[in-house]
Amino acid sequence: MSRRARTTRLGFQPPAVGEEEIEAVAETIRSGWLTTGPRAALLEERMAEYLEAEHVVALASGTAAMHLALVALGVGPGDEVVTTPITWPATANVVEHCGARPVFVDVRPDDLNIDPARVPEAVTERTKAILPVHIAGQPCDLDPLLALGPPVVEDAAHALESRYRGRKVGAISTATCFSLYATKNVAAGEGGLVATDDSALAERVREMRLTRRGDGSRYDQVGPGFKANLSDVLAAIALVQLDKLELHTAARRRQFELYDEGLDGLDGITPLARDPRDTHAHHLYVVRVDAGRAGGTRDDYRAALDEQGVATSIHFLPVHLLTWFRERYPDQVSLPVAERAGGEVLSLPLSPAHSEDDIRDVIAAVQGVYERLVG
Ligand SMILES: Cc1ncc(COP(=O)(O)O)c(C=O)c1O
């Protein structure tokens, strides 16, 4: 079935915001709370309930959430943190900021999450934490990681709605870190959260997110703070987004269904695996393009879709191959599954701001490229 050509460009993940968010921001500014105040506190309270966690601490970014969680655990020079190469570089950067070394472990080919079978050989007496990622919203296999001993800190930037074997991501490991970045399922523009059941850890993160302890002329400093707190203006946006979460989740789920149906049968274009035992957060719809079967590379598809006004993205290029990590760790072993995936992954537009017809346009465009390349 041929579809009309698009006259407007289709964004990759435009924010799904409207008058309610605008009104919430205006109201916050009128209230006089520009910095961390009652809205950030309410967000922490509501997120703790939603994530089924004892404590949630609101921060300036997902990166800050991971960084402060690691600092609170005492990760420092000489330590190692086991993590995945298929992630946004921030996951590994925060380990560097602690003065520790990220130890990259290869991923599983089907869902691109850290391969739990390979983690034990990477754990040594220097391992201070394990930092896995839930790529695209599919939880990684947490139980084997939790069984190894070192604390697990999850990078759950993609996994706000995820459940692992029925358990809410946010309520499982030592600390779980979320992002409120512009494209995330609850988007404030910028922001992050640490969820934890450990009161002492929550308190350490809370203290480090500011510069000092106390107020007025009676303040003191017990450690150099990071000034990584969340503004009430952004918390106000996140609160509205949380109200809309159910609606937005339904839209994301529907877009996944449309892609599953529409791309089924395109040999060599394969979505990442989703485990039916888990709840997926539907954060990203990622396919792998196998050039041998799909008639062209991921980059061929990306360029052809771009020409037709469809924006796509890549999640992710393997972090250990990026210049800084490559040069810093020349002894890094190759990670063949991640390295192959880095050249094949393509993320298709997904957002509650898109209509079903927008997604059908993307599917038609992918089908068109496929027919042209496969012949
Ligand atoms: C997997 C992953 N981890 C961490 C981050 C960092 O979050 P932030 O941008 O809020 O610092 C992102 C992206 O934004 C991400 O996609």
Side-chain angles (χ1 to χ4, degrees):
M1 183 188 68
S2 75
R3 293 175 60 80
R4 74 200 148 72
R6 286 192 66 86
T7 51
T8 54
R9 195 168 167 78
L10 194 72
F12 169 59
Q13 277 192 318
V17 288
E19 289 308 314
E20 300 85 353
E21 284 84 355
I22 294 169
E23 187 43 48
V25 167
E27 196 184 303
T28 307
I29 295 171
R30 278 189 213 106
S31 81
W33 272 107
L34 298 186
T35 183
T36 306
R39 286 161 188 82
L42 181 60
L43 180 67
E44 290 177 339
E45 202 182 297
R46 288 194 52 200
M47 279 294 189
E49 192 183 327
Y50 175 72
L51 297 169
E52 301 173 14
E54 286 288 321
H55 309 278
V56 166
V57 185
L59 294 151
S61 67
T63 306
M66 291 189 287
H67 184 196
L68 267 56
L70 293 184
V71 174
L73 284 171
V75 176
D79 295 334
E80 293 179 350
V81 174
V82 173
T83 192
T84 167
I86 296 292
T87 185
W88 184 236
T91 319
N93 288 347
V94 296
V95 179
E96 296 287 335
H97 290 323
C98 292
R101 177 178 176 157
V103 174
F104 298 105
V105 170
D106 213 350
V107 294
R108 298 192 293 207
D110 58 346
D111 66 4
L112 302 186
N113 276 325
I114 195 166
D115 186 342
R118 293 176 189 273
V119 175
E121 68 208 40
V123 172
T124 69
E125 70 282 357
R126 289 186 298 280
T127 308
K128 252 309 183 32
I130 302 173
L131 180 48
V133 178
H134 308 301
I135 282 295
Q138 166 59 48
C140 72
D141 196 0
L142 278 169
D143 280 337
L145 306 184
L146 293 163
L148 290 171
V152 173
V153 175
E154 295 164 62
D155 176 344
H158 297 183
L160 191 80
E161 292 108 304
S162 300
R163 283 182 180 271
Y164 170 71
R165 313 290 195 262
R167 285 175 279 162
K168 188 84 192 80
V169 165
I172 301 172
S173 59
T174 301
T176 310
C177 305
F178 297 88
S179 166
L180 306 174
Y181 178 66
T183 58
K184 298 298 186 267
N185 290 19
V186 164
E190 301 290 351
L193 307 168
V194 174
T196 180
D197 285 350
D198 181 329
S199 306
L201 189 140
E203 199 40 46
R204 283 197 291 279
V205 173
R206 226 174 254 291
E207 198 158 277
M208 283 186 300
R209 76 176 163 175
L210 293 171
T211 306
R212 46 108 181 106
R213 172 192 274 183
D215 56 6
S217 58
R218 304 194 61 80
Y219 63 81
D220 187 18
Q221 174 164 318
V222 290
F226 290 83
K227 196 63 171 79
N229 48 315
L230 181 72
S231 142
D232 254 30
V233 178
L234 298 178
I237 301 175
L239 282 166
V240 177
Q241 290 267 296
L242 191 53
D243 289 336
K244 295 180 176 178
L245 191 58
E246 215 172 301
L247 207 67
H248 285 176
T249 302
R252 289 172 181 281
R253 200 180 302 124
R254 176 68 186 138
Q255 292 176 13
F256 262 63
E257 280 168 14
L258 290 171
Y259 278 133
D260 282 349
E261 280 164 29
L263 303 179
D264 188 37
L266 300 189
D267 185 37
I269 310 251
T270 315
L272 296 190
R274 305 195 289 276
D275 192 324
R277 292 171 294 181
D278 302 326
T279 304
H280 198 282
H282 304 97
H283 176 58
L284 293 169
Y285 195 90
V286 179
V287 295
R288 290 185 70 157
V289 179
D290 177 350
R293 292 183 287 146
T297 63
R298 181 271 313 281
D299 292 338
D300 294 333
Y301 273 82
R302 194 155 193 241
L305 290 171
D306 185 60
E307 258 172 45
Q308 294 180 51
V310 174
T312 58
S313 190
I314 292 172
H315 298 86
F316 287 102
L317 299 176
V319 173
H320 66 293
L321 297 184
L322 302 178
T323 303
W324 199 80
F325 288 99
R326 209 182 54 234
E327 290 181 352
R328 188 162 168 80
Y329 302 112
D331 59 339
Q332 166 70 51
V333 294
S334 73
L335 304 170
V337 181
E339 285 162 24
R340 177 168 177 190
E344 293 187 347
V345 283
L346 180 68
S347 303
L348 299 175
L350 187 88
S351 166
H354 287 323
S355 68
E356 292 189 12
D357 264 355
D358 288 333
I359 302 303
R360 290 191 184 97
D361 285 346
V362 180
I363 293 165
V366 175
Q367 286 169 340
V369 178
Y370 185 86
E371 276 157 30
R372 183 159 57 75
L373 291 176
V374 173

